[in-house]
Amino acid sequence: MKLKKRKIKYAGIFLLCWLTLLVFLVDGILNFQTLVDYFSSYIFVEIALLLLVILPTWAIYKFTKEE
């Protein structure tokens, strides 16, 4: 698989914006400890948050059209 600069740029921008939004939501508004108490599993919350960042970023990279 050959990496394309344009696709990496768009995926990187998306990654930074999405990660910033999730950090703001989880640390600022929802409080991480509240999520851990609600789901009663620290590892489940960590994996879910990582997947919420990695999967959309991968999708943006995969479906971005290269000219």
Side-chain angles (χ1 to χ4, degrees), residues 10-33:
Y10 288 136
I13 290 169
F14 180 80
L15 173 71
L16 288 175
C17 293
W18 187 239
L19 185 63
T20 303
L21 177 68
L22 279 177
V23 166
F24 174 73
L25 285 176
V26 170
D27 288 341
I29 296 174
L30 299 176
N31 293 330
F32 184 77
Q33 191 58 42

Side-chain angles (χ1 to χ4, degrees):
M1 182 174 93
K2 186 176 179 184
L3 297 177
K4 307 286 185 169
K5 287 183 182 179
R6 185 180 183 96
K7 292 173 85 170
I8 291 173
K9 181 177 80 171
Y10 288 136
I13 290 169
F14 180 80
L15 173 71
L16 288 175
C17 293
W18 187 239
L19 185 63
T20 303
L21 177 68
L22 279 177
V23 166
F24 174 73
L25 285 176
V26 170
D27 288 341
I29 296 174
L30 299 176
N31 293 330
F32 184 77
Q33 191 58 42
T34 304
L35 289 175
V36 172
D37 292 342
Y38 183 74
F39 292 110
S40 69
S41 174
Y42 177 81
I43 195 69
F44 178 74
V45 173
E46 283 290 323
I47 290 172
L49 291 174
L50 281 173
L51 289 176
L52 280 174
V53 171
I54 292 170
L55 291 178
T57 302
W58 176 79
I60 292 294
Y61 178 79
K62 187 74 173 165
F63 297 116
T64 300
K65 301 281 188 223
E66 186 68 36
E67 294 178 1

